[in-house]
Structures are given as C-alpha cells and as structure tokens.
C-alpha cells in the first residue's frame, strides 16, 4: 500500500496528488510515468509523473477525473492509501541544448509538459511555454510554468484568460514573428498534438509528443499500447511514450483509444450512481 | 490389493486410471479447473501400476530428476504426505508441475510400460501428492540451514525465481524477490488460466516461501525501478538471479494488425487472468466482449490453446485455432489439445493469415488467410509449411489473438550492457552454472531459453541457486 501525502484540487476536477514512493522518487526522470492501481479490484492506469521529491521520497501526479479510475483517484485525500504504484516507466525525455525550445501543454497535458520544461531549462535552452485550457478556471500550473520559462503564454479557447484561441495559433504566431524555434514538445489531447505536428511540419522543426494509449502492464509484456510510428509498430510503454510527432499515426492512436468506450461508460455510470447514492445516504 | 504383495503381472493388469474431469459442456461455461484430481483410492490404484524398475528411466526424463519410483511407491502404500515430501526434495512446486509439465514428452515418455501399455500417470500422481499435502494442512516446512550472512536478489517471481529463492533460503542465504507486477507468480498468474492452474495453488506455494523467510517486493521493474548494478552496489546484494521470463509479444507484421479487436495472447490472458476482466464490471479492467462473437487465435502452442479456450469460456460463438502447420507439428501439449477439441474449439490447420480486414470504424471484421501444404523439414525438424498459390479466403472474425511467441524484454539489456545477450536478445549463460558474463549475476528461465516450459525454468533456477551457493560460500 502507498500513502497519499497531500491531495489538492488545482482546478475543477483536476487534482494534484503527492504519494509516498521513495524508490520511484529517487529514479524518476522527466517524461516518465507510473502505473497505478487504486484498489484491489482496480485497473492499472498509466499517469505521467509531474514532479518528485527524492529527499521526501514522494512523487506528484496530476489527475483529471475522466473515467471511473481517475475519478476514484480524485476522491482520495491526504492520508488515504492506494494499492499499487509502479515505476518509473517509459524512456525519459530526450533532453539536450536545442537552442529555443517550446513546451506546449493542453489541458491536463500541462502537468506532463511542466517537468520536461524544467529539464529543458536546466539543459540551457531558451524555454517558451504555451499553456492551453478551455477557460480560465481550467488553467493549471500557471505560476510554475512562468517560473521555468523565458517566455510564458496562456491560451484559452473562450478568451477568458491570456491569448484567445488555441495553442496551435499561438505557436503559429511565434513562428510567423520570425523567431527561430529549434524544438517543440506538445502534450495534450490527440487532436491538439496532431494539429501541432501539422503546424511545425512545413518548417521542419523537431517536434515530440507524449502518447497516451491504453496500457495494461506498462512494462512491455502485453503490447496493448502499440502505436504506429513511421509505419512501424512501437510499444509506447518501453519504446516511448515520447515519439517524433511528424512520424506518429494519430488516427490509429485515436481509433485504438476507442476500444473500450462502451465499457468505460458502463463503469463510469455505475460509479457516478454509487457516488450519488452515497451522498443521498 | 496390497501394495506390498502384488505381482508384476497384477500391476500390469490395472488400466491407467483416468482423472475425473468436468464435462466439456459444463466446463466451457466456467473458469473452474478442468480436472478434479485423483481420489486417494484412484491414486493408490494408479501408483500400483508402477512396476518399480531397478533402473527407473523415468527419472532421466525429468528435468529436475524427481525420485519418481520412490514417491510412487509411497503413494501405493498410502503414505501420501511422505510422497509429497519426497518430491519436494527435488521439486518445490509439485501441485503446479503436476498440472502444467509436459509429462508425455518427459518422464511418462520414458516409462517402461509404454512399450506394451500406457505409461504410469506420473504427472497425475505428482499433482495428487502436492494437493493432498496442501489440503491436509500438514505442509511441513523444510529445514533451513544456519544463516550465512549473504544476501541474494532474485528478479522475477515466476517459476525460475521461485525455485531459485526456495533453494537459496534453505541454504541459509537471505533472499529478496523483486516482482514487476502487483501480484506474485509471474506467468503462473498472468499467463496460465485458472481452469488449468487455480491461483490458490500458486498463492499457497508462495505462502510457503514467505514462511521460510523469503522477502517479496512487488511493483519493482528491473531496469526501471531498480537496476542490477544498484542491487549489487547500492543495496549490497552478494549475487543477483535474473528470471524475468520472456518479454515483448511478437506480432506478425501483416497489414491491419493494429485494428481494434486484435490482441496479443499476453494482453488477452493478462486482462482475463491477472486483472480478472471476466468479472467486469465488478473488476474495473475490461476485455473484448467475446459473447456470441467469432474469435481466432493464431498459433499452435500452449498459450494459443489457453487463449482460445478462454475465449470459448467468455462465450465466443466460434473459437478458432488458425495454425500454419498440421496437428502433428503443434507444440501444444497433447492433453490440452484433446481438451480443446472436446470443448468445441475449431481447428483451422495449414492456414496462414496474410491480412486483417476492418470496417470504417477500424474494428476487425475478418482475416484473409492462405492455405498451406507441408514441404521439406526446416531447421526445427518439422516439415515447413508452404503457401498454396491462389488459395486465399476470408474468415469472418470479430477478434484476433496473436500467439506466436515472445521476444526478450529490452530493459535489462538497456540498463546493464555488460550482461552478454544473444542475437535474439536472450541472456547468454554457462548452462552448467547459469552464470552470465557479469560477475555474480546469474540468469535462467525464458529470458535465457526463449519461450519454454515451467519445469525447465524451475530447473534453471535450481542450477543457478546451487552455483550461487558455491560461489558465496567458497568466497
């Protein structure tokens, strides 16, 4: 069992959870993830590590309540236990001094873009961050992103905070302004990552995305997380999760992620029903 | 009959005792074990068939040289606990091996009776002894030698790791087993289905090791959570045994392999066995809903049969094995093949898939196969399947499970480059000692041999334990 040290909401439905996991805290690098099983009948879900404190022996994850498991996680408070956490898994982000590096996070993807932005800064890059959300109240890690950036931008779909529009438009604007960009990291919903890839493709800017396919073990044993990259099958859990955005078959990823839509809805509805019952009682 | 005073002629007159089993039409609707086990009476009767050869050749057929003649004699005499103890001198997991060993290719193949009769049912008797001991509650813990002060890390809690840990702890070393998954047992829990090996049996065997003092650490992935060098240099283990099993499942590299509904056998079996998705939604992990669907498994090994029989139990309308050679070349155990046939599994032999076909939603709808014929023998000694031109046809299926074997997990190779690996990325060892090219690091099981059997992995674990002991004590 692993103890939750702190759990606070960053925005509606998005929670920052710090968990005791000394081995993982010691070894973890930017870009890596953990598999979590909340309880005994739980599924194993991959979540990227947002931060770690090797001294304290804790890691931090940022979770958006989407399906049953993530909502169950988000209902946890400091002092609660979770059954299993394993990691750090996946290959660490490839970090070097590229020159000017843009780290783009869409929604809860910002939680993953953040540690890589920190690592890019440490490696001596001029770091630009673009932090996108649907609206102002869903913007997370604004302060942290700003601290690590040479230039920090917020975009909201509804214009309630920062730049009115999508992260892709902001990126295009930066390119159009004549800025030399050597490296782009984009993490967020699949349509966003695919759109970013199309923005940078004509300029041949090296662009990396972190993929989120369905996983079971997360250690290379099952092949459920296979993705098509450069027309080859890769396992996101051991070969990734970061890949060259210009070579990823996003359509295949998006299709494969729909595999359990029916079951996810069934689980989720049942969970909401139970939660409502609990509240009523 | 009296076990002491029975003539050879009388022994030979006893027919091989059939182990009671669930009827096929019943068992395809549940995940309970197919075989129900011998009763003490049946076991004694079967044991009396053994003529107690002066030179028991059956022992030579056993990878760990269990004293077969002796334990069978004890069963015949009604000394069931004694029999279990005798087996455990050489094999710590009799209840498991009695179930999953390919006895027909090992001990039973050597049995002298096969010349004129059926062999003694050695596997069934081994299983009986193991089960009897466990169910009696009289599992006697073996003697543990005084502590040596040495500590050994075992990576992987599958058959190789468990047998290695068992021997080392009894020799007085401190042993810590690191397991990547949240549950202990490796392939015994994620791979082999409940209907072939009940998980309570695996749990029981592991409990025994815990009582002996073996420490288990779950959620520890070798090469990620811990590296071999960290175990040796930072955590100060005197030796490391790597028994991580086979790794990444192979795919066929044909078009359409990433369509929705195409699985590796590892994924399908892990979802069902380890994550218990047959109990969805009570358990959170879903799996493809096989009910009323057509499911095809590609491959001819034990894993393929485990997968197809699992699909049948999950309600598949048609459950096919598609195999490119003929029945004679199938690597699966004969017994499992017969079980599968009785359960209504449909065998599409001498056929090879060339392309998976999907609908506009990217869901699998069929597989294009080509018919094969057998040509000259290949490297494996089996006749090589050759495609028959213009014989393609489409088999309508909703789910495909690929079961053509596994490659090696790359994580140890990536993080411990000084361990020599073969061209296939398996770890290279001295087969007499299981020592790798790295000082104080040993390996055994599928990570060395590629996909093989539980008993071979256990044998390797024991060989490694013996040489680790020699190395540590000789120091």
């Amino acid at each position: 069992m692993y103890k939750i040290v702190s759990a606070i909401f960053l925005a509606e439905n998005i929670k920052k959870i710090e968990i005791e996991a000394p081995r993982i805290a010691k070894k973890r690098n930017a870009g890596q993830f953990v598999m979590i099983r909340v309880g005994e009948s739980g599924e194993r879900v991959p979540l990227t590590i947002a931060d770690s404190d090797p001294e304290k022996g804790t890691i931090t994850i940022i979770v958006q309540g989407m399906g049953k498991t993530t909502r169950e996680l988000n209902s946890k408070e400091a002092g609660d236990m979770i059954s299993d956490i394993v990691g750090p898994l996946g290959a660490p982000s490839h970090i070097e001094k590229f020159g000017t590096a843009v780290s783009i996070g869409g929604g809860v993807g910002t939680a993953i873009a953040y540690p890589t932005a920190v690592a890019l800064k440490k490696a001596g890059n001029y770091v630009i961050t673009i932090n996108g959300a649907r609206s102002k109240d869903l913007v997370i890690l604004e302060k942290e992103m700003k601290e690590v950036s040479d230039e920090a931008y917020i975009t909201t779909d509804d214009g309630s905070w920062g730049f009115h529009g999508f992260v892709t438009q902001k990126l295009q604007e930066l390119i159009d302004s004549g800025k030399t960009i050597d490296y782009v990291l984009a993490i967020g919903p699949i349509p966003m990552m695919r759109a970013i890839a199309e923005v940078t493709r004509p300029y041949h800017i090296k662009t990396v995305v972190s993929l989120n396919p369905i996983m079971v073990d997360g250690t290379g044993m099952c092949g459920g997380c296979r993705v098509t990259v450069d027309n080859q099958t890769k396992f996101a859990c051991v070969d990734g999760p970061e890949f060259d955005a210009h070579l990823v078959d996003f359509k295949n990823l998006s299709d494969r992620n729909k595999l359990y839509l029916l079951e996810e809805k069934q689980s989720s509805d049942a969970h909401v029903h139970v939660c409502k019952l609990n509240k009523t009682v | 009959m009296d076990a002491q005073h029975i003539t050879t002629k009388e022994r030979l007159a006893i027919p091989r005792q059939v182990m009671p089993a669930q009827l096929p039409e019943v068992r395809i609707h549940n995940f309970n074990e197919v075989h129900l086990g011998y009763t003490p009476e049946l076991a004694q009767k079967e044991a009396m068939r053994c003529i107690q050869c002066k030179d028991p050749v059956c022992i030579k057929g056993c990878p760990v040289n269990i004293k077969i003649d002796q334990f069978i004699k004890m069963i015949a005499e009604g000394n069931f606990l004694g029999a279990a103890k005798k087996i455990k001198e050489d094999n710590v997991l009799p209840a498991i091996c009695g179930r999953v060993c390919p006895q027909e290719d090992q001990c039973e193949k050597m049995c002298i009776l096969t010349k004129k009769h059926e062999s003694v049912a050695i596997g069934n008797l081994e299983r009986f002894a193991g089960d009897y001991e466990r169910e009696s509650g009289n599992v006697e813990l073996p003697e543990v030698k005084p502590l040596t002060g040495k500590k050994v890390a075992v990576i992987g809690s599958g058959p190789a790791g468990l047998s290695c840990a068992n021997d080392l702890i009894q020799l007085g070393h401190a042993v810590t087993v690191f397991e990547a998954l949240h549950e202990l047992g490796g392939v015994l829990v994620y791979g082999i289905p409940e209907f072939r090996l009940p998980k309570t049996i695996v749990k029981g065997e592991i409990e025994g090791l815990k009582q002996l003092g073996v420490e288990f650490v779950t959620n520890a992935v070798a090469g990620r959570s811990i590296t071999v060098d960290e175990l040796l240099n930072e955590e100060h283990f005197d030796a490391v045994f790597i028994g991580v099993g086979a790794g990444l499942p192979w795919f066929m590299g044909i078009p359409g392999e990433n369509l929705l509904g195409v699985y590796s056998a590892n994924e399908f079996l892990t979802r069902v066995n380890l994550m218990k998705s047959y109990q969805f939604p009570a358990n959170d992990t879903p799996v493809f809903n096989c009910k009323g669907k057509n499911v095809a498994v590609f491959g001819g090994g034990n894993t393929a049969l485990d997968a197809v029989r699992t699909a049948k139990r999950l309600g598949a309308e048609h459950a096919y094995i598609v195999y490119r050679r003929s029945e004679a070349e199938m690597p699966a155990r004969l017994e499992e093949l017969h079980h599968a046939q009785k359960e209504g599994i449909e065998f599409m032999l001498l056929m090879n898939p060339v392309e998976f076909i999907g609908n506009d939603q990217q869901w699998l709808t069929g597989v294009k196969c080509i018919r094969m014929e057998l040509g000259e023998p290949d490297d494996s000694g089996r006749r090589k399947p050759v495609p028959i031109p213009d014989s393609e046809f489409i088999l309508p299926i909703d789910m495909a499970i690929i079961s053509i074997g596994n490659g090696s997990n790359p994580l140890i190779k990536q993080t411990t480059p000084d361990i020599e690996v073969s061209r296939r990325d398996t770890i290279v060892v001295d087969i007499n000692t299981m020592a790798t090219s790295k000082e104080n690091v040993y390996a055994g099981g599928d990570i060395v041999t590629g996909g093989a059997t539980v008993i071979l992995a256990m044998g390797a674990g024991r060989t490694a334990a013996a040489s680790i002991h020699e190395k540590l004590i000789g120091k």
Side-chain angles (χ1 to χ4, degrees), chain A residues 18 33 41 50 52 55 62 89 108 129 154 165 170 177 195 200 210 212 226 229 231 268:
Chain A
E18 193 182 355
F33 65 94
S41 61
S52 65
E55 306 276 292
I62 293 177
L89 300 171
V108 78
T129 56
I154 304 279
K170 187 71 217 175
S177 73
T200 58
S210 178
N212 59 336
R226 58 195 193 278
V229 181
N231 292 317
S268 196

Side-chain angles (χ1 to χ4, degrees), chain B residues 369-429:
Chain B
C369 294
I370 187 163
R371 292 180 201 280
M372 312 288 277
E373 59 189 352
L374 293 178
E376 295 299 308
D378 63 11
D379 294 346
S380 73
R382 297 176 298 178
R383 291 178 64 193
K384 189 183 164 146
V386 189
I388 301 171
D390 302 320
S391 67
E392 287 98 340
F393 67 100
I394 289 174
L395 177 69
I397 53 170
D398 308 288
M399 182 193 202
I401 300 169
I402 298 164
S403 182
I404 56 166
N406 298 296
S408 301
N409 193 301
L411 294 180
I412 290 196
K413 178 186 150 183
Q414 282 168 12
T415 52
T416 321
D418 47 338
I419 293 179
E420 189 192 340
V421 294
S422 71
R423 238 174 351 118
R424 295 184 305 148
D425 277 350
T426 52
I427 294 179
V428 176
V429 297

Side-chain angles (χ1 to χ4, degrees), chain B residues 3 45 73 75 109 140 155 200 251 267 298 321 368 439 463:
Chain B
K45 203 165 174 192
K73 185 159 183 271
I75 292 180
K109 190 181 188 178
E140 212 176 297
I155 307 177
T200 48
F251 287 89
E267 181 183 1
F298 300 85
I321 282 282
K368 188 196 267 185
E439 178 91 21
T463 305

Side-chain angles (χ1 to χ4, degrees), chain A residues 77-265:
Chain A
E77 303 293 345
D80 287 348
M81 307 291 267
I82 56 168
S83 284
D84 297 284
I85 177 163
V86 56
L89 300 171
S93 303
H94 175 74
I95 303 289
E96 61 175 89
K97 189 173 174 183
F98 297 103
T100 298
V102 183
S103 174
I104 305 170
V108 78
T110 304
I112 313 169
Y114 169 67
T116 309
V118 172
L120 286 167
K121 182 71 197 166
K122 226 180 183 173
N125 289 285
Y126 182 85
V127 173
I128 301 173
T129 56
I130 307 174
N131 186 353
R134 277 205 316 275
S135 64
K136 187 182 174 183
D137 50 346
L138 292 171
V139 173
I140 58 167
L141 301 180
E142 185 177 354
K143 188 173 136 264
E144 287 86 345
M145 279 300 226
K146 203 167 180 177
E147 272 170 16
V148 76
S149 311
D150 294 286
E151 288 175 45
Y153 301 97
I154 304 279
T155 69
T156 50
D157 300 0
D158 63 2
S160 54
W161 192 239
F163 175 89
H164 185 176
F166 297 130
V167 288
T168 40
Q169 293 167 301
K170 187 71 217 175
L171 178 65
Q172 186 68 55
E173 205 182 87
L174 290 174
I175 295 170
D176 292 344
S177 73
K179 215 175 258 304
T180 309
I181 295 173
D182 304 290
Y183 179 83
V184 170
L185 168 83
I187 301 163
I190 294 169
M192 181 207 105
M193 294 193 287
R194 193 202 312 224
I196 292 285
E198 292 319 311
V199 170
T200 58
R201 197 189 299 274
Y203 307 98
H204 307 289
I205 300 171
K206 185 177 169 60
T207 304
V208 168
V209 286
S210 178
L211 304 184
N212 59 336
I214 297 169
M215 292 187 185
V216 184
D217 64 296
T219 65
M221 194 253 292
C222 87
C225 68
R226 58 195 193 278
V227 289
T228 310
V229 181
D230 200 14
N231 292 317
Q232 287 180 338
T233 292
K234 296 277 178 191
F235 289 7
C237 67
V238 289
D239 299 320
E242 294 185 0
F243 293 99
D244 183 337
H246 297 145
L247 301 176
V248 169
D249 181 343
F250 286 105
K251 163 109 176 42
N252 184 236
L253 174 65
S254 156
D255 288 336
R256 285 187 61 81
N257 276 1
K258 290 179 189 141
L259 190 50
Y260 299 108
L261 272 188
L262 269 178
E263 287 84 357
E264 282 163 13
K265 190 169 180 322

Side-chain angles (χ1 to χ4, degrees), chain B residues 237-429:
Chain B
F237 283 97
D238 297 289
V240 174
F241 173 75
I242 302 171
V244 294
L248 281 64
W250 280 324
F251 287 89
M252 294 183 288
I254 62 174
E257 216 157 20
N258 292 340
L259 287 166
L260 282 76
V262 183
Y263 285 74
S264 73
N266 280 8
E267 181 183 1
F268 178 63
L269 290 171
T270 301
R271 283 180 178 274
V272 179
N273 298 331
L274 178 73
M275 306 310 295
K276 302 188 175 56
S277 58
Y278 58 90
Q279 290 168 338
F280 180 86
N283 280 304
D284 290 345
T285 307
V287 71
F288 184 89
N289 187 350
C290 297
K291 203 158 269 171
K293 301 284 174 56
N294 299 328
V295 178
V297 178
F298 300 85
N302 286 316
T303 309
L305 289 187
D306 285 346
V308 78
R309 294 170 69 199
T310 297
K312 187 79 190 175
R313 281 161 173 75
L314 290 171
E317 169 81 22
H318 290 284
Y320 305 106
I321 282 282
V322 179
Y323 183 52
R324 63 199 181 117
R325 304 179 196 246
S326 73
E327 192 180 305
E329 290 83 23
M330 282 181 89
R333 288 189 64 193
L334 209 56
E335 182 183 84
E336 304 304 332
L337 189 63
H338 291 158
H339 280 317
Q341 286 163 339
K342 282 187 190 143
E343 288 168 12
I345 304 302
E346 296 160 66
F347 288 80
M348 314 280 279
L349 302 172
L350 289 165
M351 290 175 198
N352 207 25
V354 289
E355 181 182 356
F356 290 111
I357 298 156
N359 63 18
D360 54 358
Q361 309 281 306
Q362 299 302 304
W363 282 93
L364 179 74
T365 57
V367 56
K368 188 196 267 185
C369 294
I370 187 163
R371 292 180 201 280
M372 312 288 277
E373 59 189 352
L374 293 178
E376 295 299 308
D378 63 11
D379 294 346
S380 73
R382 297 176 298 178
R383 291 178 64 193
K384 189 183 164 146
V386 189
I388 301 171
D390 302 320
S391 67
E392 287 98 340
F393 67 100
I394 289 174
L395 177 69
I397 53 170
D398 308 288
M399 182 193 202
I401 300 169
I402 298 164
S403 182
I404 56 166
N406 298 296
S408 301
N409 193 301
L411 294 180
I412 290 196
K413 178 186 150 183
Q414 282 168 12
T415 52
T416 321
D418 47 338
I419 293 179
E420 189 192 340
V421 294
S422 71
R423 238 174 351 118
R424 295 184 305 148
D425 277 350
T426 52
I427 294 179
V428 176
V429 297

Side-chain angles (χ1 to χ4, degrees), chain B residues 212-226:
Chain B
L212 288 177
V214 176
E215 299 253 359
F216 287 93
V217 179
T218 52
N219 297 324
V221 181
R224 289 277 192 240
S225 320
I226 34 154

